[in-house]
Amino acid sequence: DTGFMDVDIDQINEGEDRTAEALTGGPYAKNSESVGIWRNPTVVLGEVITEGSFRYAFTGDEAAGEKAKEALLKFCSFEKWNAAYMLENKFWTYYPVGYMLKPVAYGYDMLHDLLSEEEKQSVRDAIMEKGLKLFHRDMVEMNRMPSSNTNHIAVIVSGHGLAATAIYGDEPDNPAMEPYLSGIMAKAKAFIDQTYYEDGSYGEPFTYQAMGSRSLVEIFAAFERNFGVDWSTTTDVQHFYKYPMMSTHTNQIMRHPGSLVFDLLATHTSGGMPDYGDAGSTYDGFTQPHSWWFIYRLGNPFLYHYAKPYWEEGNGGYMSYLWFRDDITPRSRETFPTSRKFKANGMIMRSGWEDESTIITTRTGPHANHYHFDQGSFQIMTNGDALLDDPGVGPGGYYTNLEFRVYNIHSIAHNVMLIDHDPESQKPAHFDNGIAALRDWPRMTHTFAGEIADAVEEDLATVYKDKLESYTRTLLYTKSGPLFLLDRVKSNSSEGHVFNWIFHSRHNPDGRSLSYENNRVFIDRPDARLTMDILSPDIESAPIRDALGAARGGEQFDESFISLNSRPGLTEANFLAVLLPEARPSG
């Protein structure tokens, strides 16, 4: 791609100062325009620097190198890299600055012999004054994001880490780049240790895992190459693939016609991954840099299964070329057991690896960045079609109002039990951030993963605002047939409660898919169907409500939910239901 050679760098200027507009939007500011004004010039210049630097390093194309150098010096001449709004409110760094620093690092490193000593110094000054010093003040001295549980940290430390490595040894007054380099490494390691788990669990929804991981592996490569710091084999990032490999709907990769966007798709356009929280509903991390790195560094055969056809089509750019291997025998995930416990996320239960299989996922574990109030929720996907769905998934509302959490986030938008019709029945659980006094979150008390049946029992009472003495939810899945759901709940109040069991499904293209009659819930979807029989308790009412035009990952869709309501004044209840998901036969 040589389109970067046609960019008129003289016409690109630093974004207009819009200090009145909050970047996060919300009720008092429109964020889209101000973000674009601030970021667009840096994105364009960053692309020119990146493409030109790599092309010069790979092919010796001096014209490309000079073009990249012109963009690099222009970018470093900007008065500030962070947004004015953030700086005025004393947030010295922000995740887009991490993205901005990557091309600056690429340029300084690969264009080194084209830069004069004065030009090198101007780039180093920009990195120090607009990057590293502000990072150190924010993330080290002030310890912003102290729970170390956000993909923002991964992006920030990656860009700053690459830049610090690129100028290491060149700064006359500080050749070792201290304390800045150590601060970056400390913040990065804290994020890794608090967010990634050995079993493949992750502390955020998996869209954000992909965002963070694809940035982290660049400093993994740089720190190991330059300083001998090995985080590839000594940390749990290497296990990132285990949850999405279990939960995604397909074992293949298919390209969207006319697009360079790859998703994990098979015969169904859903490409679904039943994730939770403020995430997307598909996963494409197996064709991104974190997969390439662990193929290159560790020879991971499961990731190679996905990357090999992607690479053979000529995709992936410079990083996939640098990290390319063809001496590995790919292994399909079909050699994995079909069910598995993930201690920070929940249980995944599958009937098999075929396209028409059923996938059941549960949400149980610590709260974390970008999660919703959905403890005990579960989803069912059969034949690539979402039967019990999670309309709260996706960023359609997470930042809409900074003072009130919208429908998507509250318990009512998930497949959970409510108390007394309260849509805000749950509070957030504690974070798993290493603080011993704050380790109160729902846990899986018993799990079983077998060849013909799976089971999980969850203790959920802690998030119900001290209203319950006990609450366990048990799911027993017979892989050849039904799923049994048993809730056992006891109130702390002698006056008792109304208990409401909520179940969601998106609409059929031809209309509502959710219906109820005589203790039976029926969900009808284009490629699958679900029958749920309620055996206990007596259901006093079962209204079906529409949440029309819900937002999910930028997509609008209509969904319904049913509220199965007990009679009032119950001090305890057992909810027992039998759910039968079925794939619709082809034709």
Side-chain angles (χ1 to χ4, degrees):
D1 178 12
T2 56
F4 69 92
M5 294 294 291
D6 298 326
V7 175
D8 188 348
I9 293 173
D10 288 335
Q11 297 302 311
I12 302 174
N13 296 301
E14 187 169 0
E16 179 186 352
D17 193 348
R18 299 291 291 270
T19 58
E21 296 188 13
L23 296 173
T24 50
Y28 308 119
K30 296 179 180 179
N31 66 323
S32 57
E33 184 179 1
S34 60
V35 169
I37 290 170
W38 161 52
R39 289 194 65 183
N40 288 348
T42 70
V43 169
V44 174
L45 290 174
E47 283 292 311
V48 175
I49 299 167
T50 299
E51 294 296 325
S53 298
F54 273 106
R55 185 172 181 84
Y56 174 65
F58 270 67
T59 70
D61 183 342
E62 193 162 336
E66 291 292 341
K67 187 76 172 184
K69 170 183 167 180
E70 181 186 0
L72 175 65
L73 297 176
K74 181 67 173 283
F75 185 46
C76 289
S77 73
F78 284 6
E79 180 183 352
K80 53 187 175 295
W81 289 344
N82 199 1
Y85 175 86
M86 302 300 284
L87 293 172
E88 286 201 356
N89 287 277
K90 297 181 172 54
F91 285 88
W92 307 113
T93 194
Y94 190 39
Y95 83 91
V97 181
Y99 285 129
M100 294 174 193
L101 272 163
K102 285 186 181 184
V104 176
Y106 298 154
Y108 186 87
D109 190 46
M110 289 185 275
L111 305 175
H112 202 261
D113 60 329
L114 296 181
L115 294 166
S116 69
E117 291 304 316
E118 292 77 15
E119 289 167 340
K120 292 174 188 173
Q121 186 65 58
S122 70
V123 176
R124 292 198 301 269
D125 288 346
I127 290 173
M128 291 298 300
E129 299 302 323
K130 287 172 271 198
L132 301 187
K133 289 183 179 180
L134 298 182
F135 169 91
H136 195 78
R137 183 174 181 179
D138 223 18
M139 293 296 173
V140 182
E141 294 176 0
M142 299 181 69
N143 192 27
R144 300 266 192 186
M145 308 178 189
S147 291
S148 298
N149 179 242
T150 167
N151 57 94
H152 284 200
I153 294 175
V155 174
I156 294 170
V157 297
S158 182
H160 288 79
L162 290 175
T165 304
I167 67 175
Y168 184 88
D170 282 6
E171 190 70 4
D173 297 331
N174 188 0
M177 297 308 300
E178 290 300 341
Y180 308 107
L181 185 59
S182 291
I184 293 166
M185 288 185 173
K187 195 68 177 178
K189 189 60 163 53
F191 167 75
I192 291 168
D193 289 345
Q194 295 299 145
T195 314
Y196 291 85
Y197 294 75
E198 185 178 8
D199 67 358
S201 297
Y202 180 76
E204 302 176 282
F206 282 82
T207 299
Y208 298 94
Q209 183 237 55
M211 176 179 172
S213 300
R214 60 179 175 254
S215 287
L216 276 184
V217 295
E218 292 198 48
I219 57 170
F220 280 25
F223 288 173
E224 185 167 345
R225 181 183 179 90
N226 291 276
F227 309 121
V229 175
D230 175 12
W231 285 343
S232 301
T233 67
T234 62
T235 72
D236 291 330
V237 181
Q238 62 183 301
H239 304 296
F240 80 90
Y241 65 96
K242 292 178 179 177
Y243 185 97
M245 192 164 285
M246 289 288 298
S247 61
T248 46
H249 170 244
T250 179
N251 199 30
Q252 304 176 35
I253 292 177
M254 184 175 291
R255 182 158 60 90
H256 287 296
S259 170
L260 293 179
V261 179
F262 282 71
D263 286 326
L264 297 181
L265 305 179
T267 57
H268 301 280
T269 56
S270 66
M273 175 182 175
D275 204 354
Y276 293 86
D278 185 41
S281 55
T282 58
Y283 184 84
D284 60 357
F286 299 145
T287 54
Q288 292 181 0
H290 44 306
S291 292
W292 310 336
W293 171 251
F294 286 108
I295 293 167
Y296 171 75
R297 180 66 176 79
L298 301 181
N300 187 302
F302 297 103
L303 296 175
Y304 188 59
H305 171 84
Y306 295 97
K308 184 176 185 289
Y310 183 77
W311 283 346
E312 287 175 346
E313 289 193 8
N315 297 297
Y318 295 107
M319 287 299 179
S320 69
Y321 184 88
L322 287 170
W323 297 340
F324 177 82
R325 286 182 63 170
D326 61 359
D327 59 339
I328 303 166
T329 301
R331 289 183 65 188
S332 167
R333 65 179 181 174
E334 292 176 10
T335 60
F336 273 24
T338 52
S339 302
R340 190 170 187 154
K341 169 189 174 182
F342 295 89
K343 68 179 183 180
N345 301 113
M347 185 90 170
I348 296 177
M349 302 179 282
R350 303 182 64 114
S351 62
W353 294 111
E354 300 80 15
D355 282 347
E356 64 271 16
S357 297
T358 291
I359 307 170
I360 301 168
T361 63
T362 70
R363 166 73 185 122
T364 316
H367 194 66
N369 183 48
H370 283 293
Y371 268 123
H372 297 168
F373 302 160
D374 56 1
Q375 296 284 351
S377 185
F378 67 103
Q379 298 181 61
I380 301 176
M381 177 185 291
T382 297
N383 200 23
D385 217 341
L387 290 168
L388 283 186
D389 207 354
D390 188 334
V393 169
Y398 196 84
Y399 295 113
T400 298
N401 190 317
L402 305 183
E403 296 182 346
F404 178 76
R405 297 181 179 100
V406 296
Y407 167 77
N408 301 54
I409 297 172
H410 283 301
S411 302
I412 195 171
H414 309 280
N415 300 309
V416 302
M417 184 191 75
L418 305 183
I419 299 176
D420 298 328
H421 304 283
D422 180 6
E424 303 176 30
S425 287
Q426 291 188 13
K427 64 181 180 181
H430 290 159
F431 281 64
D432 185 8
N433 56 15
I435 300 173
L438 299 175
R439 300 186 66 80
D440 194 3
W441 56 76
R443 286 174 164 84
M444 292 172 281
T445 53
H446 299 286
T447 60
F448 176 79
E451 293 185 9
I452 62 172
D454 302 316
V456 57
E457 182 180 270
E458 308 158 339
D459 184 351
L460 304 172
T462 59
V463 293
Y464 278 88
K465 303 180 179 179
D466 301 320
K467 292 183 177 181
L468 300 180
E469 177 184 326
S470 63
Y471 176 23
T472 60
R473 167 163 282 188
T474 304
L475 294 166
L476 170 63
Y477 180 41
T478 59
K479 296 185 179 224
S480 59
L483 168 73
F484 298 90
L485 168 64
L486 173 62
D487 279 6
R488 290 170 288 181
V489 57
K490 290 185 179 181
S491 171
N492 271 332
S493 167
S494 60
E495 297 179 0
H497 302 284
V498 174
F499 298 111
N500 325 105
W501 286 273
I502 307 293
F503 300 97
H504 291 261
S505 183
R506 69 176 70 188
H507 284 195
N508 234 328
D510 298 328
R512 173 186 283 176
S513 65
L514 185 61
S515 59
Y516 175 81
E517 186 176 1
N518 297 328
N519 286 343
R520 169 169 285 185
V521 177
F522 189 72
I523 294 173
D524 186 43
R525 297 284 304 145
D527 295 313
R529 65 186 179 192
L530 176 73
T531 308
M532 175 166 57
D533 289 316
I534 297 91
L535 284 72
S536 173
D538 292 334
I539 301 301
E540 184 161 284
S541 63
I544 295 175
R545 305 189 186 279
D546 291 324
L548 302 178
R552 180 170 182 164
E555 154 196 17
Q556 297 291 321
F557 73 101
D558 295 338
E559 61 102 358
S560 299
F561 67 88
I562 187 168
S563 178
L564 301 173
N565 304 320
S566 74
R567 62 179 174 82
L570 292 183
T571 57
E572 60 182 280
N574 290 339
F575 180 87
L576 177 60
V578 184
L579 298 83
L580 183 64
E582 299 174 283
R584 228 180 250 285
S586 60

